[in-house]
Amino acid sequence: MAALFLGSAAVGRPITLKLAQDFVTLPATLIHDRKVRRLFAQICVLWGCSRLLDAGMSLGVLHWGVDAGLLSRGVLSGLLTGLTICVCAYFGWTRLHRNHGVVFRRATI
């Protein structure tokens, strides 16, 4: 996963932009904006580093035994993923709002 996120950021085609489009309708002008693409590339790097940290943490905890490794995968990995989601959401929201005046609204059904 880390290679996917870091690789997509390195080649300038951030996978996070594609993932965001699955959840949120983004205007074409926003998608093609250079600053927005850089923001999604930065978020890719955050996710890539998070996945590297998760892998390293799991391998490190495995030295204490299989039970500790399973606990790490179940608890610590979930906490790290949740923290990464919060950091990326806050980072993206503040950057988009500050640079482009983007306001997030709830969709009405």
Side-chain angles (χ1 to χ4, degrees), residues 56-106:
M57 189 172 54
S58 294
L59 288 174
V61 171
L62 271 176
H63 290 306
W64 295 334
V66 174
D67 290 337
L70 290 173
L71 179 67
S72 167
R73 292 300 306 156
V75 176
L76 298 178
S77 180
L79 289 173
L80 180 61
T81 300
L83 177 65
T84 304
I85 289 170
C86 292
V87 167
C88 288
Y90 178 75
F91 179 73
W93 183 359
T94 56
R95 290 287 174 110
L96 284 175
H97 183 68
R98 182 177 49 197
N99 290 338
H100 296 285
V102 173
V103 177
F104 296 98
R105 288 179 277 161
R106 229 187 219 175

